[in-house]
Amino acid sequence: LQVELVEVDLRWGITKKQSESGETLPRCLDTIHNCRPYFIGIIGEHYGSIADRRFIPDSLIEIQPWLKEHLDRSITELEILHGVLNNPEMSGRAFFYFRDDVNFCRKQKNCTTDTNRDKLDDLKQRISKRYPVSRYRNPKLLGEEVFKDLWQAIQKEYPPHSVADDVERLRREHISYSASRLRLYTPRTLFHKAISKHVTSSNIPLLLTGESGVGKSALLAGWSAEYAKHHPETCILLHFVGVSPESARPELILRRLIAELTRCCALSFVVTDDATRLSQSFQEVMIAAGATRPVVLVVDALNQVESDDISPMSWLPTAFPAGVKAIFSITPGTMQKQLLERGWRELPITPVNFSERRKMIADYLKHYNKSLESTEINTVAATPQTGNPLFLRVMLDELRIVGRHEGFDVTFSRLLASPTIAELFDRVLQRWERDFFKPEGLVQDVMSVLAVSRRGLSEREILDLFGDRDRCLPLPQAYWSPLFLAAFEYLSNRSGFLWFFHDHLRKAVERRYLNNRRERCNAMFRLIDFYCEQISHDRDHGGVYRQLAMDIAEDAVRCAEQGKDGRLQAKA
């Protein structure tokens, strides 16, 4: 298990204009939430600026109603309340450091006034009653204390003996992915009943089919959670092929399912190292598991499994033993037809109907304390494209961000006019470019490099890649955090590496920023240069970066050859 820490300074890079326009507090609270479960609070003799209504817009109070009771408090205290004092789960993960220098305040011209002294003392007392506090007199001692506390917390959270193998790491990723699909999920009752009926009445594999974005992943995650609640005796194993590059490899899918069945059904079975015997071993384990307790295997996005052209489904059993039910999802195509020829049963996942759309719209916006007029809800629900849950959710995300101010009607009409999900994402990219324009070209640069990378990029790599590399300064969080928070719902985290959650977004990025060979090759060259720098800078992972550079170089050569551009070919 690898743990990477990325420090976030809530104040670094916040401009005066952003502060005066009320952007500071909403951005900081979102960033704090994203940084959980760790929090470091350093408090000196300054209480901080009082968060008057300039800093707390009504839209923020709608989302964080507790702010109403603290309008006379400083931004610093509000951040501590949100990050720690209002959240009991932060116990053991929050650390505070108070400056202990009697001469410090005498040297300062703007120490906390008597008016706010009581508030500062009260805040320190409340912190001290619930969390460990260290006192420091200089930055060196502070650094030593922070390092000690964080290291102990990490050792407790991730003990040395808890290092996970590939199978265990994948299991955690699938649990996390399933939970993300259930967030704001509106159950599709008819399909839940249809799947349950099939599982309880037939041993023939069930194939859920439907276009990308229609909600197959969320449906499988939602159904599995509901079925498990009412059938605790059943062992339900979910495998989402889109979770990570490894999750698409047939060999690792089989190894993971074998290991999970062995654990779930308490079998004494050792996973074979012989890749040629994995399919046979899988059959043997399924037979033993099905004789122990009911088993349901759920594999999402079967069409994304890596395969050779000769036998793309050779790893997949044609039938399953007694006691083992299998459910798969797949997009329409050749593989779907071949599986149906095996006699498997099909359950087409249709677009959400008008009444389902209305409920989804109301439920989703209610989560953010927002709503649309009844006529607007009907207009959205009646638009054919919103029958795709992904299209509907992306559109609602954009609408709630715009809010009820000038430009809403125009945005509303433009979003509804998008004929496809990829074109809707193109409008999202346009807005990001307007909102996050510093440094110049940030959105295009980040998205382009992500699109040509093979494994995605870690947050630390993005900060280093787009910072001031000549002076070894990372990209300021004040530039990166707003974009990251805006794109968070559309990015997946694969073992610490960010990647596109939806293929529609990747296609929109490629069409907007990489629509010719030169742009694609240049994005690859930029990534290769960065990887080559890391070979010498990061000794522990130099070999990894060397291989990554070589892999992207191969892609760049193919890109240049296809473009038949002599200069690009020479550079590649």
Side-chain angles (χ1 to χ4, degrees):
L1 183 68
Q2 295 182 342
V3 178
E4 180 182 22
L5 290 182
V6 179
E7 75 286 353
V8 175
D9 186 337
L10 294 176
R11 291 292 176 271
W12 185 29
I14 297 292
T15 66
K16 182 179 180 181
K17 181 179 179 181
Q18 290 171 333
S19 179
E20 292 176 347
S21 62
E23 297 180 41
T24 300
L25 188 58
R27 182 175 296 176
C28 288
L29 296 188
D30 283 344
T31 302
I32 288 170
H33 176 76
N34 191 50
C35 285
R36 285 173 177 150
Y38 298 110
F39 186 97
I40 294 174
I42 304 172
I43 301 178
E45 296 302 315
H46 301 286
Y47 180 62
S49 302
I50 300 299
D52 58 31
R53 291 312 299 267
R54 291 179 303 155
F55 297 97
I56 310 179
D58 291 337
S59 58
L60 181 59
I61 293 179
E62 289 180 4
I63 300 173
Q64 307 286 351
W66 59 271
L67 287 170
K68 290 181 181 178
E69 308 300 323
H70 300 86
L71 297 179
D72 63 336
R73 298 290 166 164
S74 70
I75 292 181
T76 300
E77 178 166 349
L78 295 180
E79 291 167 345
I80 293 172
L81 283 167
H82 179 65
V84 180
L85 297 182
N86 290 347
N87 186 2
E89 295 181 0
M90 291 297 290
S91 178
R93 293 165 170 169
F95 308 96
F96 288 90
Y97 309 88
F98 295 169
R99 190 177 185 100
D100 187 17
D101 187 349
V102 294
N103 295 318
F104 173 76
C105 197
R106 298 174 186 172
K107 303 173 185 176
Q108 306 298 310
K109 296 180 180 180
N110 58 341
C111 279
T112 292
T113 63
D114 292 339
T115 306
N116 292 324
R117 169 60 61 183
D118 291 342
K119 292 180 182 178
L120 178 60
D121 291 342
D122 175 65
L123 174 62
K124 288 183 175 182
Q125 288 177 12
R126 280 180 286 140
I127 292 171
S128 300
K129 288 179 180 179
R130 294 173 52 186
Y131 294 93
V133 173
S134 299
R135 298 184 180 275
Y136 71 96
R137 293 196 174 190
N138 59 61
K140 183 176 183 298
L141 293 176
L142 173 62
E144 292 173 353
E145 288 295 317
V146 171
F147 180 83
K148 180 190 70 175
D149 291 338
L150 270 181
W151 183 251
Q152 290 178 350
I154 292 171
Q155 289 285 87
K156 182 179 180 180
E157 191 85 14
Y158 308 102
H161 61 271
S162 70
V163 175
D165 57 19
D166 287 343
V167 172
E168 176 61 21
R169 179 172 50 80
L170 267 178
R171 187 173 82 86
R172 296 173 184 175
E173 290 179 352
H174 286 274
I175 292 173
S176 175
Y177 185 93
S178 180
S180 72
R181 298 297 82 201
L182 292 176
R183 190 168 59 248
L184 302 178
Y185 170 65
T186 301
R188 303 191 68 183
T189 307
L190 291 178
F191 288 110
H192 280 217
K193 290 180 178 179
I195 297 172
S196 296
K197 181 179 180 180
H198 178 86
V199 165
T200 55
S201 63
S202 175
N203 207 57
I204 299 175
L206 180 65
L207 201 60
L208 273 61
T209 60
E211 63 178 274
S212 178
V214 80
K216 299 185 296 296
S217 300
L219 175 60
L220 287 175
W223 174 83
S224 298
E226 181 186 79
Y227 194 83
K229 187 184 301 181
H230 295 97
H231 299 83
E233 77 285 355
T234 301
C235 172
I236 302 179
L237 301 183
L238 284 84
H239 187 91
F240 297 92
V241 174
V243 166
S244 67
E246 294 94 337
S247 67
R249 289 165 41 201
E251 177 184 334
L252 200 58
I253 293 175
L254 291 177
R255 288 187 185 280
R256 176 175 179 254
L257 293 179
I258 290 171
E260 293 284 18
L261 285 171
T262 300
R263 180 188 60 81
C264 187
C265 299
L267 304 175
S268 55
F269 191 94
V270 179
V271 181
T272 178
D273 291 328
D274 186 354
T276 61
R277 293 193 65 254
L278 275 176
S279 294
Q280 179 183 342
S281 297
F282 183 42
Q283 286 285 0
E284 294 171 357
V285 172
M286 282 197 295
I287 293 172
T292 303
R293 59 186 296 192
V295 174
V296 178
L297 300 179
V298 180
V299 179
D300 177 54
L302 198 58
N303 51 287
Q304 295 183 27
V305 175
E306 292 180 3
S307 60
D308 56 53
D309 296 330
I310 301 174
S311 53
M313 294 181 295
S314 59
W315 67 277
L316 192 61
T318 56
F320 292 81
V324 178
K325 310 298 176 69
I327 305 171
F328 302 91
S329 75
I330 193 170
T331 55
T334 303
M335 185 179 291
Q336 171 208 11
K337 295 177 182 178
Q338 292 174 347
L339 293 174
L340 292 177
E341 289 173 356
R342 292 184 177 185
W344 291 14
R345 292 186 180 171
E346 181 180 22
L347 178 60
I349 307 303
T350 56
V352 290
N353 59 39
F354 183 81
S355 60
E356 288 175 324
R357 296 179 211 183
R358 283 182 55 86
K359 182 170 177 21
M360 287 181 176
I361 294 167
D363 289 349
Y364 184 80
L365 293 178
K366 183 179 179 181
H367 180 78
Y368 298 97
N369 293 313
K370 296 183 182 296
S371 63
L372 292 175
E373 300 291 343
S374 180
T375 54
E376 293 170 335
I377 292 178
N378 289 337
T379 299
V380 174
T383 302
Q385 299 94 299
T386 62
N388 185 297
L390 176 58
F391 186 103
L392 181 59
R393 179 164 179 170
V394 174
M395 179 184 176
L396 293 176
D397 260 339
E398 290 300 291
L399 287 178
R400 73 175 178 83
I401 291 170
V402 172
R404 286 290 184 182
H405 51 69
E406 185 178 355
F408 177 86
D409 292 338
V410 174
T411 301
F412 185 84
S413 300
R414 285 178 177 173
L415 293 173
L416 275 182
S418 304
T420 65
I421 303 175
E423 291 186 59
L424 180 61
F425 270 122
D426 187 76
R427 297 188 186 279
V428 173
L429 292 170
Q430 290 180 43
R431 180 180 64 78
W432 288 353
E433 291 169 9
R434 293 193 304 269
D435 292 350
F436 316 115
F437 54 87
K438 285 187 177 182
E440 185 177 354
L442 178 64
V443 175
Q444 176 175 349
D445 290 343
V446 172
M447 295 299 155
S448 297
V449 170
L450 275 181
V452 300
S453 67
R454 285 196 174 188
R455 62 165 189 171
L457 293 169
S458 71
E459 187 173 356
R460 170 54 61 194
E461 288 172 339
I462 291 174
L463 294 176
D464 289 343
L465 176 56
F466 297 106
D468 186 338
R469 283 153 64 184
D470 291 336
R471 295 192 294 167
C472 296
L473 293 176
L475 180 70
Q477 283 285 346
Y479 296 147
W480 164 243
S481 289
L483 173 58
F484 177 59
L485 292 170
F488 182 76
E489 288 292 334
Y490 306 132
L491 298 176
S492 64
N493 190 323
R494 299 172 170 179
S495 300
F497 297 99
L498 301 177
W499 179 244
F500 300 110
F501 208 114
H502 305 288
D503 199 49
H504 296 285
L505 175 58
R506 181 187 59 79
K507 290 178 180 177
V509 167
E510 290 182 340
R511 186 177 66 178
R512 187 168 183 82
Y513 305 130
L514 305 171
N515 60 3
N516 61 60
R517 297 293 175 186
R518 178 172 295 279
E519 291 174 341
R520 178 174 288 275
C521 287
N522 285 335
M524 292 178 184
F525 294 149
R526 186 169 191 174
L527 193 54
I528 293 169
D529 288 343
F530 173 72
Y531 284 151
C532 288
E533 289 178 7
Q534 299 305 109
I535 293 174
S536 58
H537 292 167
D538 190 341
R539 295 182 179 180
D540 292 336
H541 302 94
V544 174
Y545 283 115
R546 182 177 291 105
Q547 185 60 53
L548 287 170
M550 293 173 64
D551 290 342
I552 300 297
E554 291 178 3
D555 295 341
V557 169
R558 284 193 294 270
C559 174
E561 290 175 346
Q562 292 170 359
K564 298 180 180 179
D565 186 314
R567 285 180 295 179
L568 288 179
Q569 288 177 309
K571 186 170 183 179

